[in-house]
Amino acid sequence: MRDVSIIGIGQTPVAEHWGKSLKDLAAEAIQEAIKDAQVERVDALYVGNMCSGTLNGQEHLGALISDWVGLRGVEAVKIEAACGSGAAALRLGYVAVAGELADFVVVAGVEKMTDRPGQQVTAALAMAADADFEAQNGLSFVALNALLMRRYMHEYGVPHGDFAPFTINAHKNAIGNPYALFPHAVTAQDFCVARMVADPVNLLDSSPVCDGAAAVVLCPTSLARSLGARPVRIRASSSSTDTIALHDRRDLLGLEAAALSAAKAYRQAKVTPQDIDLFELHDAFTIVSVLSLEACGFAERGRGVRLGTEGDIAIGGQIPITTMGGLKARGHPVGATGIYQVIEVALQLREQAGANQVRDAHLGMAQNIGGSGATVVTTILEAVE
Amino acid sequence: MRDVSIIGIGQTPVAEHWGKSLKDLAAEAIQEAIKDAQVERVDALYVGNMCSGTLNGQEHLGALISDWVGLRGVEAVKIEAACGSGAAALRLGYVAVAGELADFVVVAGVEKMTDRPGQQVTAALAMAADADFEAQNGLSFVALNALLMRRYMHEYGVPHGDFAPFTINAHKNAIGNPYALFPHAVTAQDFCVARMVADPVNLLDSSPVCDGAAAVVLCPTSLARSLGARPVRIRASSSSTDTIALHDRRDLLGLEAAALSAAKAYRQAKVTPQDIDLFELHDAFTIVSVLSLEACGFAERGRGVRLGTEGDIAIGGQIPITTMGGLKARGHPVGATGIYQVIEVALQLREQAGANQVRDAHLGMAQNIGGSGATVVTTILEAVE
């Protein structure tokens, strides 16, 4: 198995891109990543995307985008694992390069969600849940996360206001990210009075519907040193699943797939949570941040919120999270999110995070989640000296 | 790179499965394949599917199906490349095992198309084409193939009736396949008077809308010999793309991606078309059979129809095709088709094809196509002695 590195990154601003199509967005990110990598050959293109069929009337994104971006003929497919599609595509790109089946693989994530009315977007996102037992009975994606949050608050006696630091931190960090959708601060007061979406999840607990694309170029680390950008090595890549429906979980608040996926990644990288310098987690809702921190070993069960209230999640804190704004404030174009996360870790490890730079960042982790924890892909990245 | 074999196969009948859901079908095929393989461990599940979002209101098939079939926790994703989704998933499963990233991978293809009215199915299938330039202007998938067929007939002076042998051969072979949707003979007369769909493509030129699932278990050939079924070795696996829109093609009748994908596969397997004992090709429409035979080197340009009219495509002929009924008569549940094809080649190489057995079949090829030739995946399989 070969060592694999990221040698090029590219991203579009996360926004409502009314003037650009799905393939325009993907092409923009891919071209930037290829330019950053300074590669002249691409062996395969893996595209992470969830909703192109339901929201854009277009499947077959592999062939579509490879041609549009000037890679006609190349092996190309779309990979889908709900909101975890981006990192699921990255994982397969990693497999191809690590296993010596390809040398240069471009992995892109793209989603264009703002062309349709909100109701259609809600219905499309609910396809990440169980159509027969959840969506069919009216459970939208926010509603499922509301059940999780309500249970957590009940179980551990946590007031809703304790989740505010996660949103405040994400928005603060987004100010330093030129690609973020919401580069502006919010206060604890804003959080407390935000409009309710699905009780107890309010608007400021929730990541937004938006458009965006992000791409990385992978190659063997042995070839990386002679190429463009400073390589960032993939120390671990792992993927696990859990039941898709919440009611089938053995342990509702345990995020078993996150724990399993993180444990595999720690084992592969031969590290512990204490070695991780920053963590781009999947803050689709504030409750998910908390559950992820607990499942990945950064806090004990029921104590994840404390990392927020005690300031540990800030840049400069013990375990900085959502350092460029996270899903909440950078934005969450679902199939693209997993690639945005990895790019943000890469920027930190390349010391290109500007005002948001985590000092002495050597090891970073990204975790992308599909559904309410049903697919979890964990990636541990390291700066190559 | 390790040698990879198929050690288990499973398929549901192709039918209108009104009593079974998408996940029921997938689980049935997967359980049969695992039983056939006699494996006790599965490292990953790759699911090929095109239309679950648009026709079944369900994405996230990796997590959904892995749990439903009793593989909770395993790495699992959906892979989409339009009608080529099944073989695209197989290709990634092959990559994982060949590259030593996994030992036992289940690859399933599943599609449930009959729950929705025909108009919705036509719209869903059109998402394999270019949404902006083809589907947007009313070109359905049949219409695109009608353009190809009309051009071929004009270019080479071929009458429509010359395509009849492809349909007659497929239906004849389906009689010997207990999983086929249409196990009954059709005549040249039936073909000539069949209802027109999109001139010149008539009903008997076209594969049907239907439901089905198929699955295979892959593992390293070195481990295969001690396990269940007689292993079938993957001698080559390759994937290529072309422009998604027909009007962008350099050579409309050339099926460039099929030629490229086949050439890569021949190179990897170190064989020529003359070495291939049977060819499960992608006969979504009779014109596609002809173009595939030409692109893959079995006939010169403009001479592909002759293989039909001269009897070469029959079992016992020079290059038997659609030996178990093909897309036309076994049926074409789109995302599952690529796996059905490979299973049928495996049955031939395991000498389990019953009345349809191709004598002394040692090397078989399957080719699965997404869109009008935009994604083409070629697999060459060999009997392991």
PDB file of all heavy atoms in Angstrom, chain A residues 352-374:
ATOM      1  N   GLN A 352      -1.536  27.990   5.461  1.00  0.00           N
ATOM      2  CA  GLN A 352      -2.127  28.988   4.564  1.00  0.00           C
ATOM      3  C   GLN A 352      -3.508  29.406   5.057  1.00  0.00           C
ATOM      4  O   GLN A 352      -4.348  29.830   4.270  1.00  0.00           O
ATOM      5  CB  GLN A 352      -2.239  28.413   3.145  1.00  0.00           C
ATOM      6  CG  GLN A 352      -0.882  28.126   2.510  1.00  0.00           C
ATOM      7  CD  GLN A 352      -0.996  27.429   1.171  1.00  0.00           C
ATOM      8  OE1 GLN A 352      -2.007  26.816   0.870  1.00  0.00           O
ATOM      9  NE2 GLN A 352       0.048  27.530   0.359  1.00  0.00           N
ATOM     10  N   ALA A 353      -3.742  29.253   6.361  1.00  0.00           N
ATOM     11  CA  ALA A 353      -5.083  29.552   6.881  1.00  0.00           C
ATOM     12  C   ALA A 353      -5.220  31.004   7.333  1.00  0.00           C
ATOM     13  O   ALA A 353      -6.231  31.375   7.929  1.00  0.00           O
ATOM     14  CB  ALA A 353      -5.430  28.584   8.007  1.00  0.00           C
ATOM     15  N   GLY A 354      -4.218  31.801   7.041  1.00  0.00           N
ATOM     16  CA  GLY A 354      -4.316  33.239   7.319  1.00  0.00           C
ATOM     17  C   GLY A 354      -4.602  33.540   8.780  1.00  0.00           C
ATOM     18  O   GLY A 354      -3.961  32.985   9.680  1.00  0.00           O
ATOM     19  N   ALA A 355      -5.574  34.433   9.009  1.00  0.00           N
ATOM     20  CA  ALA A 355      -5.924  34.852  10.370  1.00  0.00           C
ATOM     21  C   ALA A 355      -6.424  33.673  11.211  1.00  0.00           C
ATOM     22  O   ALA A 355      -6.418  33.746  12.439  1.00  0.00           O
ATOM     23  CB  ALA A 355      -6.996  35.935  10.317  1.00  0.00           C
ATOM     24  N   ASN A 356      -6.854  32.607  10.526  1.00  0.00           N
ATOM     25  CA  ASN A 356      -7.415  31.455  11.246  1.00  0.00           C
ATOM     26  C   ASN A 356      -6.379  30.355  11.502  1.00  0.00           C
ATOM     27  O   ASN A 356      -6.738  29.256  11.906  1.00  0.00           O
ATOM     28  CB  ASN A 356      -8.568  30.851  10.444  1.00  0.00           C
ATOM     29  CG  ASN A 356      -9.759  31.778  10.382  1.00  0.00           C
ATOM     30  OD1 ASN A 356      -9.643  32.954  10.723  1.00  0.00           O
ATOM     31  ND2 ASN A 356     -10.895  31.273   9.964  1.00  0.00           N
ATOM     32  N   GLN A 357      -5.120  30.662  11.245  1.00  0.00           N
ATOM     33  CA  GLN A 357      -4.095  29.621  11.359  1.00  0.00           C
ATOM     34  C   GLN A 357      -4.024  29.028  12.771  1.00  0.00           C
ATOM     35  O   GLN A 357      -3.922  29.756  13.751  1.00  0.00           O
ATOM     36  CB  GLN A 357      -2.724  30.203  10.981  1.00  0.00           C
ATOM     37  CG  GLN A 357      -1.606  29.167  10.954  1.00  0.00           C
ATOM     38  CD  GLN A 357      -1.821  28.105   9.878  1.00  0.00           C
ATOM     39  OE1 GLN A 357      -2.139  28.413   8.729  1.00  0.00           O
ATOM     40  NE2 GLN A 357      -1.699  26.835  10.256  1.00  0.00           N
ATOM     41  N   VAL A 358      -4.102  27.695  12.838  1.00  0.00           N
ATOM     42  CA  VAL A 358      -3.858  26.989  14.097  1.00  0.00           C
ATOM     43  C   VAL A 358      -2.345  26.807  14.205  1.00  0.00           C
ATOM     44  O   VAL A 358      -1.721  26.230  13.310  1.00  0.00           O
ATOM     45  CB  VAL A 358      -4.563  25.612  14.109  1.00  0.00           C
ATOM     46  CG1 VAL A 358      -4.191  24.814  15.362  1.00  0.00           C
ATOM     47  CG2 VAL A 358      -6.075  25.792  14.020  1.00  0.00           C
ATOM     48  N   ARG A 359      -1.782  27.316  15.274  1.00  0.00           N
ATOM     49  CA  ARG A 359      -0.315  27.285  15.423  1.00  0.00           C
ATOM     50  C   ARG A 359       0.219  25.867  15.565  1.00  0.00           C
ATOM     51  O   ARG A 359      -0.366  25.048  16.260  1.00  0.00           O
ATOM     52  CB  ARG A 359       0.081  28.072  16.663  1.00  0.00           C
ATOM     53  CG  ARG A 359       0.106  29.553  16.379  1.00  0.00           C
ATOM     54  CD  ARG A 359       0.803  30.235  17.523  1.00  0.00           C
ATOM     55  NE  ARG A 359       1.278  31.537  17.134  1.00  0.00           N
ATOM     56  CZ  ARG A 359       2.154  32.220  17.856  1.00  0.00           C
ATOM     57  NH1 ARG A 359       2.646  31.700  18.969  1.00  0.00           N
ATOM     58  NH2 ARG A 359       2.535  33.408  17.471  1.00  0.00           N
ATOM     59  N   ASP A 360       1.344  25.627  14.919  1.00  0.00           N
ATOM     60  CA  ASP A 360       2.014  24.317  15.003  1.00  0.00           C
ATOM     61  C   ASP A 360       1.069  23.169  14.655  1.00  0.00           C
ATOM     62  O   ASP A 360       1.134  22.111  15.278  1.00  0.00           O
ATOM     63  CB  ASP A 360       2.603  24.096  16.403  1.00  0.00           C
ATOM     64  CG  ASP A 360       3.599  25.183  16.780  1.00  0.00           C
ATOM     65  OD1 ASP A 360       4.329  25.632  15.880  1.00  0.00           O
ATOM     66  OD2 ASP A 360       3.623  25.581  17.957  1.00  0.00           O
ATOM     67  N   ALA A 361       0.205  23.420  13.693  1.00  0.00           N
ATOM     68  CA  ALA A 361      -0.713  22.344  13.283  1.00  0.00           C
ATOM     69  C   ALA A 361       0.077  21.328  12.468  1.00  0.00           C
ATOM     70  O   ALA A 361       0.605  21.643  11.400  1.00  0.00           O
ATOM     71  CB  ALA A 361      -1.859  22.909  12.467  1.00  0.00           C
ATOM     72  N   HIS A 362       0.122  20.121  12.973  1.00  0.00           N
ATOM     73  CA  HIS A 362       0.895  19.076  12.306  1.00  0.00           C
ATOM     74  C   HIS A 362      -0.022  17.948  11.830  1.00  0.00           C
ATOM     75  O   HIS A 362       0.177  17.363  10.775  1.00  0.00           O
ATOM     76  CB  HIS A 362       1.942  18.536  13.288  1.00  0.00           C
ATOM     77  CG  HIS A 362       2.811  17.496  12.684  1.00  0.00           C
ATOM     78  ND1 HIS A 362       3.757  17.797  11.714  1.00  0.00           N
ATOM     79  CD2 HIS A 362       2.869  16.159  12.878  1.00  0.00           C
ATOM     80  CE1 HIS A 362       4.348  16.669  11.342  1.00  0.00           C
ATOM     81  NE2 HIS A 362       3.830  15.668  12.024  1.00  0.00           N
ATOM     82  N   LEU A 363      -1.048  17.687  12.636  1.00  0.00           N
ATOM     83  CA  LEU A 363      -1.961  16.576  12.356  1.00  0.00           C
ATOM     84  C   LEU A 363      -3.398  17.101  12.437  1.00  0.00           C
ATOM     85  O   LEU A 363      -3.804  17.654  13.463  1.00  0.00           O
ATOM     86  CB  LEU A 363      -1.752  15.498  13.428  1.00  0.00           C
ATOM     87  CG  LEU A 363      -1.915  14.036  13.045  1.00  0.00           C
ATOM     88  CD1 LEU A 363      -0.977  13.647  11.929  1.00  0.00           C
ATOM     89  CD2 LEU A 363      -1.648  13.159  14.272  1.00  0.00           C
ATOM     90  N   GLY A 364      -4.163  16.912  11.360  1.00  0.00           N
ATOM     91  CA  GLY A 364      -5.550  17.379  11.368  1.00  0.00           C
ATOM     92  C   GLY A 364      -6.490  16.253  11.001  1.00  0.00           C
ATOM     93  O   GLY A 364      -6.122  15.337  10.255  1.00  0.00           O
ATOM     94  N   MET A 365      -7.721  16.336  11.490  1.00  0.00           N
ATOM     95  CA  MET A 365      -8.698  15.288  11.192  1.00  0.00           C
ATOM     96  C   MET A 365      -9.948  15.925  10.586  1.00  0.00           C
ATOM     97  O   MET A 365     -10.351  17.020  10.987  1.00  0.00           O
ATOM     98  CB  MET A 365      -9.044  14.536  12.474  1.00  0.00           C
ATOM     99  CG  MET A 365      -9.978  13.367  12.271  1.00  0.00           C
ATOM    100  SD  MET A 365      -9.866  12.165  13.636  1.00  0.00           S
ATOM    101  CE  MET A 365     -11.353  12.537  14.544  1.00  0.00           C
ATOM    102  N   ALA A 366     -10.530  15.230   9.620  1.00  0.00           N
ATOM    103  CA  ALA A 366     -11.810  15.665   9.045  1.00  0.00           C
ATOM    104  C   ALA A 366     -12.772  14.492   9.145  1.00  0.00           C
ATOM    105  O   ALA A 366     -12.370  13.339   8.954  1.00  0.00           O
ATOM    106  CB  ALA A 366     -11.638  16.077   7.593  1.00  0.00           C
ATOM    107  N   GLN A 367     -14.009  14.796   9.472  1.00  0.00           N
ATOM    108  CA  GLN A 367     -15.005  13.725   9.551  1.00  0.00           C
ATOM    109  C   GLN A 367     -16.300  14.181   8.895  1.00  0.00           C
ATOM    110  O   GLN A 367     -16.898  15.174   9.289  1.00  0.00           O
ATOM    111  CB  GLN A 367     -15.254  13.318  10.996  1.00  0.00           C
ATOM    112  CG  GLN A 367     -16.104  12.059  11.100  1.00  0.00           C
ATOM    113  CD  GLN A 367     -16.198  11.534  12.511  1.00  0.00           C
ATOM    114  OE1 GLN A 367     -16.825  12.161  13.350  1.00  0.00           O
ATOM    115  NE2 GLN A 367     -15.594  10.396  12.777  1.00  0.00           N
ATOM    116  N   ASN A 368     -16.709  13.440   7.904  1.00  0.00           N
ATOM    117  CA  ASN A 368     -17.875  13.767   7.083  1.00  0.00           C
ATOM    118  C   ASN A 368     -18.944  12.708   7.350  1.00  0.00           C
ATOM    119  O   ASN A 368     -18.655  11.516   7.358  1.00  0.00           O
ATOM    120  CB  ASN A 368     -17.427  13.733   5.614  1.00  0.00           C
ATOM    121  CG  ASN A 368     -18.426  14.289   4.618  1.00  0.00           C
ATOM    122  OD1 ASN A 368     -18.319  14.001   3.424  1.00  0.00           O
ATOM    123  ND2 ASN A 368     -19.386  15.073   5.043  1.00  0.00           N
ATOM    124  N   ILE A 369     -20.173  13.175   7.596  1.00  0.00           N
ATOM    125  CA  ILE A 369     -21.242  12.261   8.005  1.00  0.00           C
ATOM    126  C   ILE A 369     -22.394  12.276   7.008  1.00  0.00           C
ATOM    127  O   ILE A 369     -22.847  13.333   6.592  1.00  0.00           O
ATOM    128  CB  ILE A 369     -21.759  12.642   9.416  1.00  0.00           C
ATOM    129  CG1 ILE A 369     -20.602  12.573  10.433  1.00  0.00           C
ATOM    130  CG2 ILE A 369     -22.908  11.732   9.843  1.00  0.00           C
ATOM    131  CD1 ILE A 369     -21.006  12.820  11.875  1.00  0.00           C
ATOM    132  N   GLY A 370     -22.863  11.093   6.638  1.00  0.00           N
ATOM    133  CA  GLY A 370     -24.041  10.973   5.782  1.00  0.00           C
ATOM    134  C   GLY A 370     -25.232  10.539   6.612  1.00  0.00           C
ATOM    135  O   GLY A 370     -25.127   9.588   7.386  1.00  0.00           O
ATOM    136  N   GLY A 371     -26.355  11.216   6.436  1.00  0.00           N
ATOM    137  CA  GLY A 371     -27.543  10.913   7.238  1.00  0.00           C
ATOM    138  C   GLY A 371     -27.290  11.270   8.692  1.00  0.00           C
ATOM    139  O   GLY A 371     -26.353  11.999   9.021  1.00  0.00           O
ATOM    140  N   SER A 372     -28.127  10.729   9.573  1.00  0.00           N
ATOM    141  CA  SER A 372     -27.972  11.012  11.001  1.00  0.00           C
ATOM    142  C   SER A 372     -26.938  10.059  11.592  1.00  0.00           C
ATOM    143  O   SER A 372     -27.218   9.320  12.533  1.00  0.00           O
ATOM    144  CB  SER A 372     -29.307  10.825  11.715  1.00  0.00           C
ATOM    145  OG  SER A 372     -30.344  11.462  11.017  1.00  0.00           O
ATOM    146  N   GLY A 373     -25.752  10.052  10.984  1.00  0.00           N
ATOM    147  CA  GLY A 373     -24.685   9.188  11.478  1.00  0.00           C
ATOM    148  C   GLY A 373     -24.649   7.815  10.827  1.00  0.00           C
ATOM    149  O   GLY A 373     -23.994   6.907  11.336  1.00  0.00           O
ATOM    150  N   ALA A 374     -25.321   7.643   9.692  1.00  0.00           N
ATOM    151  CA  ALA A 374     -25.382   6.318   9.065  1.00  0.00           C
ATOM    152  C   ALA A 374     -24.130   5.992   8.253  1.00  0.00           C
ATOM    153  O   ALA A 374     -23.738   4.840   8.140  1.00  0.00           O
ATOM    154  CB  ALA A 374     -26.617   6.193   8.189  1.00  0.00           C
TER     155      ALA A 374
END
